[in-house]
Amino acid sequence: MPEGLAATFWWIPVTLFAALAQTGRNAAQKSLTGSLGTWAATLVRFLFGLPFALVCLLSLYLWPGGTPAPWPVFSWAYFGWIALGAAFQLGATAALLRAMQERNFAVAVTLSKTEVLQVALFSVLFLAEWPTAVMVAAMLVATAGVGVLSLPPQGRRAGMGGSAWWSASAGWGLLCGACFAIASVGYRGAALALGVASPWLSAAWGVLLAQAMQSLSLGAWVAWRSPEGLRPIWRAWRVSLVAGSLGAIASLAWFAAYALQNAAAVRTVGMSEVLFSLLVSRGLFRERMSGTEKAGMALVVLGIVVLCAPYL
């Protein structure tokens, strides 16, 4: 990948777009959870996203009047990175589901937001990509902001005492963040291993292969564990198509961002998803934001601005 691409600011709007599309996907996917169950609703984002990823890839090769995209040189390292990312993305979902069953779920959610800091650690270990001092400061500030936003209302914080931070729920939260972090590093490693100039070509191949792996593995699990197999998913095809299309669009943007910039920076700016979700929630239900929420939002915005300023 040319060095100049990584130095441009384009990864910032691409990441913001990814976070916004993911917010829409989460809203559509949430409406399926009650009727399909958590695992089947999770499968929807991969299975129904596959056709859109395929269309995106084919358009890069068959778009009339344009220059056909070059055929990448695949390697075992590339497929290994993709498989690593796909597996740990599913692992993160499993850890989050397990955390939901624990009493101190707020603690688990808060600790899962250490994903960004863990991304920086795993990027150093796996890819030798060291964060700058400014990047570390921005990650710390933004992570603190997301942690504040994850706190429950004042009256329900009694269960978040000192012992809660050493509980099983805390462990599941940290594991969830670690799995998401390794998944991000895996997808970044795949983009570097593929080495194509176009971030969108890298994204299209990455999303198609990762979602194919996830659809096959999780689809087999849901079909085996569910009495009705995959039939409920097909019955909810309309909403599933919405969730799948938005999920594919978000994933394409995430992968493109990983091709342009290191995973720690991308995931820090990706924390804007929390802001988008909160604004959508408050906008729909006309609820006023508390002082704690405003403080958390301010910290997240500050962290993102500090990180992005050198690229603008």
Side-chain angles (χ1 to χ4, degrees):
M1 182 179 63
E3 289 294 328
L5 279 176
T8 67
F9 79 100
W10 287 109
W11 68 274
I12 299 172
V14 169
T15 302
L16 292 173
F17 177 76
L20 184 60
Q22 187 159 300
T23 301
R25 186 215 70 201
N26 288 341
Q29 197 172 5
K30 183 178 180 180
S31 67
L32 292 169
T33 303
S35 57
L36 300 182
T38 305
W39 280 117
T42 301
L43 173 61
V44 161
R45 63 177 287 195
F46 305 126
L47 186 61
F48 283 83
L50 268 177
F52 296 94
L54 181 59
V55 168
C56 178
L57 180 63
L58 291 177
S59 68
L60 294 174
Y61 287 100
L62 303 177
W63 191 265
T67 302
W71 192 263
V73 178
F74 295 106
S75 64
W76 286 113
Y78 172 73
F79 290 116
W81 283 117
I82 288 289
L84 180 74
F88 274 90
Q89 190 174 19
L90 288 177
T93 303
L96 188 59
L97 292 175
R98 186 64 182 83
M100 288 179 181
Q101 301 172 5
E102 297 292 334
R103 181 177 179 182
N104 295 305
F105 177 56
V107 171
V109 172
T110 303
L111 289 176
S112 72
K113 301 306 180 183
T114 61
E115 169 203 353
V116 170
L117 302 178
Q118 297 188 68
V119 167
L121 172 63
F122 292 125
S123 292
V124 172
L125 294 177
F126 293 162
L127 302 174
E129 291 186 334
W130 289 82
T132 64
V134 171
M135 190 182 297
V136 171
M139 288 188 292
L140 289 172
V141 172
T143 300
V146 174
V148 170
L149 287 171
S150 300
L151 293 174
Q154 187 69 38
R156 286 187 286 165
R157 295 183 191 172
M160 295 185 67
S163 60
W165 297 94
W166 300 97
S167 63
S169 58
W172 287 115
L174 283 174
L175 180 61
C176 175
C179 287
F180 273 129
I182 295 175
S184 298
V185 172
Y187 294 145
R188 166 67 172 170
L192 294 175
L194 194 61
V196 297
S198 169
W200 297 110
L201 184 61
S202 175
W205 275 112
V207 172
L208 182 66
L209 293 173
Q211 292 196 339
M213 294 177 185
Q214 291 162 328
S215 296
L216 287 172
S217 57
L218 187 55
W221 170 263
V222 172
W224 176 52
R225 298 289 295 179
S226 173
E228 291 190 83
L230 300 180
R231 286 190 293 275
I233 293 177
W234 305 123
R235 288 198 293 266
W237 65 270
R238 291 179 178 84
V239 181
S240 297
L241 273 178
V242 174
S245 61
L246 288 174
I249 291 170
S251 295
L252 287 165
W254 284 121
F255 270 74
Y258 290 138
L260 292 168
Q261 183 56 271
N262 69 60
V266 170
R267 295 311 301 178
T268 301
V269 176
M271 284 184 170
S272 57
E273 178 193 350
V274 178
L275 304 182
F276 294 147
S277 299
L278 187 61
L279 291 174
V280 168
S281 175
R282 293 296 182 261
L284 288 176
F285 300 106
R286 306 292 182 183
E287 297 175 349
R288 297 182 63 183
M289 285 188 291
S290 66
T292 301
E293 289 174 331
K294 291 178 181 178
M297 289 182 67
L299 286 173
V300 173
V301 171
L302 177 61
I304 293 174
V305 169
V306 168
L307 179 61
C308 295
Y311 299 91
L312 301 178

